[in-house]
Amino acid sequence: MDIKVIKTEQQHQDYLERIHSLMLMMPPTRSDEHEELELLITIVEAYENSKYPIEPPDPIDAILFRMHEKGLKQVDLVPYLGTRSRVSEILSRKRPLTVSMIKALSIGLGISTDTLIGINSDDNQSHEEGVDWSKFPLKEMINRGWISENGNALKNSTEDIIKGFINQLGWQSGSLSFKRTLSGDAYSPSTQYALYAWVSRVVQQARKKKSSLGLFDPNVLSASFLRDLAQLSWFEKGPLLAIEFLEKHGIAIIIEPSLKGTRIDGAALKDIDGQPIIGLSLRYDRLDNFWFTLLHEVAHIWKHVHNEETFLDDLDASSDDKKESEANRLAREAFIPRAVWKRSDAYISPTKENIDILSRELKITPAIIAGRLRRELGNYRLFADLIGHGEISRILSTAVIE
């Protein structure tokens, strides 16, 4: 398609139709279609903002108004927001809009990006009014040593202390988004402050490792890379080897227990300089949970993490999100290819002996196989002695001792 600056309304409508068809295709990042979509969005957005921007005061009200005006149902927003459940969560204000959603809705529904971000062009009020600083778990953060409990610090307000904690990251603390979108099954509005504090801590700790990390090359990430990582689970000190392997390739691994009230297994994100970071909470101190969470987050780094989005994962939750499903599939395939799994005796006749045989064949820890059987059969009493309770903390503590 020959793309030019929009000069006529017919040209505008043609571009909108092309954008809609490209969105339905869901082209992969860096493909020709994705590049075309980005260019068309930019051009149409500039045209619409100059000609007839619509700026209702509230993002969700703006979306609902447009839906009513155009006779749209929730299912009609799936191409812009991803899944039916995600549409429902957005419209019920349980989940924030991401940058990609804002762009898609701006073009698809003709709503200005300022409105979707929550900015009224006639209103210069600070975004800080939307932040309840008292909801940050300040006492727990101080108890963990994240914030120094000195006399000068405690004389400041909670807002000043939290801002100081966050601003040292170079992020914007003036709004609840903090220039970073939190998403994933571990995210909830009731825990967003604790989650943001946890992510901030993970990034701070990752920056301390920066000088010891290898150079990150995104091209090295592949199915074979995940398979190589999975097979490190075969070794007794596999978790340590995995951390060393990933950090050699420029991916920082941070172990940080979750804050009270949150349900998070792991996180995948990039720092402001593009440095990939994986945070692990070790919510379940088990080999099967550690390994699957680790590969799930690496899959996010490979396929999904762009710019300011952060994936926060609760792997106990069921999800119909396409990105989460893809990360799960890639992790499962790295450990046990689907064709092998369905034909294996461990799957057909689950016994300790058959689990051991398959683990030796695939060169992976038996904990992974036992964990998968427990989940698929819905029986978490099975093979409790194979999943490695307490093994992760024991193995990681040996690194400190040595």
Side-chain angles (χ1 to χ4, degrees):
M1 184 175 186
D2 186 16
I3 302 175
K4 299 179 180 179
V5 174
I6 299 176
K7 295 182 178 179
T8 67
E9 184 56 31
Q10 182 58 52
Q11 188 182 5
H12 173 229
Q13 292 301 319
D14 291 343
Y15 282 12
L16 287 177
E17 290 180 9
R18 179 58 178 164
I19 286 171
H20 182 69
S21 63
L22 288 170
M23 284 181 172
L24 292 177
M25 291 169 58
M26 295 184 179
T29 305
R30 299 187 184 90
S31 66
D32 291 343
E33 290 80 6
H34 185 271
E35 293 297 325
E36 181 184 352
L37 178 60
E38 287 289 310
L39 180 57
L40 284 170
I41 286 174
T42 301
I43 291 174
V44 171
E45 185 179 65
Y47 175 81
E48 292 188 340
N49 284 342
S50 65
K51 292 293 183 180
Y52 40 81
I54 301 170
E55 298 182 342
D58 179 81
I60 304 306
D61 287 345
I63 295 171
L64 293 172
F65 174 80
R66 260 308 195 220
M67 289 174 65
H68 176 74
E69 187 179 53
K70 293 177 175 287
L72 301 177
K73 299 179 180 179
Q74 287 196 14
V75 68
D76 296 316
L77 298 189
V78 170
Y80 311 116
L81 302 181
T83 65
R84 291 191 180 197
S85 63
R86 184 63 51 82
V87 173
S88 178
E89 290 170 343
I90 293 294
L91 295 183
S92 61
R93 305 175 195 272
K94 294 180 180 179
R95 184 182 292 271
L97 292 168
T98 65
V99 173
S100 59
M101 290 176 188
I102 288 171
K103 286 184 178 179
L105 289 170
S106 177
I107 299 305
L109 300 186
I111 305 172
S112 74
T113 54
D114 280 354
T115 297
L116 291 170
I117 293 171
I119 303 173
N120 188 318
S121 60
D122 296 326
D123 184 358
N124 293 320
Q125 293 181 341
S126 168
H127 282 209
E128 292 187 6
E129 294 178 8
V131 180
D132 186 348
W133 299 96
S134 66
K135 289 186 177 180
F136 278 92
L138 178 60
K139 186 175 293 186
E140 188 176 1
M141 294 165 73
I142 291 174
N143 290 339
R144 290 196 182 193
W146 295 7
I147 295 173
S148 175
E149 189 175 7
N150 58 57
N152 291 332
L154 295 181
K155 289 178 183 178
N156 296 329
S157 66
T158 298
E159 178 177 344
D160 290 336
I161 296 172
I162 298 296
K163 279 185 176 181
F165 175 73
I166 292 171
N167 284 343
Q168 60 185 300
L169 297 174
W171 295 353
Q172 174 184 329
S173 63
S175 68
L176 194 56
S177 68
F178 297 96
K179 281 284 191 176
R180 182 163 290 277
T181 301
L182 303 182
S183 63
D185 295 316
Y187 174 82
S188 71
S190 63
T191 61
Q192 58 186 327
Y193 291 94
L195 290 170
Y196 193 81
W198 185 84
V199 170
S200 300
R201 174 65 175 180
V202 166
V203 173
Q204 288 177 352
Q205 295 301 97
R207 288 182 180 178
K208 293 179 181 178
K209 286 189 172 186
K210 196 169 184 65
S211 62
S212 63
L213 297 176
L215 182 65
F216 175 63
D217 177 6
N219 295 318
V220 77
L221 298 178
S222 64
S224 62
F225 181 90
L226 288 180
R227 181 62 184 159
D228 290 343
L229 179 61
Q231 290 190 325
L232 292 176
S233 70
W234 177 250
F235 299 95
E236 181 182 355
K237 294 189 176 181
L240 290 174
L241 295 175
I243 293 172
E244 180 182 346
F245 175 76
L246 290 170
E247 294 193 338
K248 177 182 176 182
H249 287 90
I251 302 174
I253 308 298
I254 302 300
I255 309 294
E256 186 63 56
S258 58
L259 290 164
K260 293 177 183 177
T262 62
R263 297 178 56 84
I264 184 169
D265 291 300
L269 64 150
K270 288 183 179 178
D271 202 350
I272 53 178
D273 62 353
Q275 177 74 55
I277 302 169
I278 289 174
L280 301 174
S281 72
L282 302 190
R283 179 161 66 114
Y284 300 114
D285 187 357
R286 303 194 319 252
L287 286 172
D288 65 322
N289 182 264
F290 170 86
W291 282 107
F292 192 83
T293 302
L294 183 65
L295 267 76
H296 181 96
E297 305 307 339
V298 174
H300 274 321
I301 296 291
W302 175 21
K303 293 288 188 177
H304 309 133
V305 174
H306 305 292
N307 301 322
E308 297 161 352
E309 187 167 14
T310 297
F311 288 86
L312 301 173
D313 292 303
D314 170 6
L315 296 183
D316 284 343
S318 58
S319 175
D320 58 0
D321 182 87
K322 290 184 178 180
K323 292 179 180 178
E324 296 300 341
S325 296
E326 183 176 31
N328 282 334
R329 178 181 59 79
L330 289 169
R332 283 194 301 266
E333 284 293 308
F335 286 115
I336 315 171
R338 180 178 176 81
V340 173
W341 179 238
K342 294 294 185 179
R343 298 173 184 172
S344 70
D345 289 337
Y347 174 79
I348 297 169
S349 178
T351 64
K352 289 184 180 180
E353 181 181 2
N354 287 336
I355 289 173
D356 182 66
I357 291 171
L358 183 59
S359 74
R360 292 176 183 277
E361 176 187 337
L362 296 174
K363 294 294 186 291
I364 62 172
T365 175
I368 289 293
I369 303 169
R372 182 162 177 176
L373 285 168
R374 284 156 55 96
R375 187 176 182 89
E376 291 190 2
L377 296 174
N379 186 347
Y380 292 94
R381 295 182 179 180
L382 292 174
F383 310 119
D385 56 336
L386 295 184
I387 56 176
H389 278 292
E391 283 297 292
I392 299 301
S393 57
R394 182 189 67 80
I395 292 169
L396 296 181
S397 68
T398 63
V400 177
I401 295 173
E402 295 171 358

